Amino acid sequence: MMKPALVFDWNGTLLDDTDALLQTTNTILDRLGRAAIDMQTLRDHFDVPLSLFFRNLGMSERELETVDSHDSAIFHDTYEPLASKAELREGARRILETARQQDVSSIIVSNHIVEPLITQLRRHRIEDCVAKVLAFESRATQFKSMSKGERLRLYMRANDLNPSSTFIVGDMPVETDIARDLGLVSVAITGGFVSETRLRAAQPDYLIEDHHKLLPILQERGLFQHS
C-alpha cells in the first residue's frame, strides 16, 4: 500500500522569515553601496540560487563574486540571527500536529541547510512532527549537489509514497514545477518570498494565503479525516 504524505518547503512556507530575507538583502545591498529594496520588489524578483536573485536586482558579476565568496557567508551570517527570531506561519503548527495525529508523514524539502533547519524545528518544538528533512548538507554544497525535486523523487521512491496522494506546499513556483514533474498535488502559499502574481502564473492546483486554508483542502481530498 503506497502511503500519502505532506511535503513542505521551509523558508517562507512554514517559517515566517520573509522579513529576515528582506533585511539580509538590504544589508548586502548597503555593503555594496546600493539602495535598499521594499517587500514588493523582493517578491517580484526573488529566485534561487541567490546569485540569480541578485542578478535580477542588477548586480554586476564582480558584486556577485563578493556575495558568493566564502560559501555565501555574508548572506548566512546576516540571515541566521534574524531567522532565529522568526515565528512559524499562521496555522503551520496546527497542520503539522494534525498530520502527526492522523498518521500522515510530513516531509520538509528545502534549499536551506540541514543543521540550522533542524535547530529551528527544535526551537519551535515541531521536530517530532517532521518525518524527514531533505536539504543541503552544508554551505559548501548549497545549490551544488542534488536539486529539491530530485531529492524528493528519490525519497518518495525509497519510502513508497503515493504521488497522487502527496501534497507539496510552497511559496515559490519551483514547488508547483516539482509537483507537475512528480505527479503530486500542488499548493502555493502567498505571503512568502514570491508575489501572488508569479505564483498564479505557475498554475498550482490550489492557492492559499495561510495554513488554516490548507486544512479543508486536505479533508476534502481525503488526506485528513473530518474532525
Side-chain angles (χ1 to χ4, degrees), residues 8 14 18 22 31 34 42 52 66 79 87 92-93 101 120-121 129 131 135 140 153 159 191 219 222 227:
F8 294 96
L14 289 174
T18 311
L22 181 63
R31 284 201 202 177
R34 286 179 167 268
L42 176 116
L52 268 182
T66 305
Y79 165 82
E87 295 302 321
R93 183 183 301 279
Q101 287 156 11
Q120 288 271 30
L121 294 180
C129 294
R153 187 177 67 79
N159 292 274
Q219 288 170 334
S227 49

Side-chain angles (χ1 to χ4, degrees), residues 62-117:
R62 181 173 290 178
E63 287 171 318
L64 288 170
E65 279 171 27
T66 305
V67 177
D68 266 350
S69 61
H70 312 302
D71 302 325
S72 306
I74 183 174
F75 179 87
H76 290 289
D77 292 348
T78 310
Y79 165 82
E80 291 299 346
L82 294 167
S84 72
K85 298 181 186 73
E87 295 302 321
L88 293 176
R89 288 203 54 179
E90 189 74 25
R93 183 183 301 279
R94 184 181 174 207
I95 280 286
L96 289 167
E97 288 175 348
T98 305
R100 185 184 57 184
Q101 287 156 11
Q102 306 221 6
D103 210 23
V104 173
S105 279
S106 293
I107 299 144
I108 290 175
V109 178
S110 176
N111 279 321
H112 203 51
I113 294 153
V114 173
E115 199 180 338
L117 207 163

Side-chain angles (χ1 to χ4, degrees), residues 2 58 77 107-108 110 126 132 141 177 186 203 215 222 226:
M2 292 185 90
D77 292 348
I107 299 144
I108 290 175
S110 176
I126 52 170
K132 184 70 177 173
T141 61
D177 295 342
S186 56
Q203 298 184 305
L215 202 59
H226 285 269

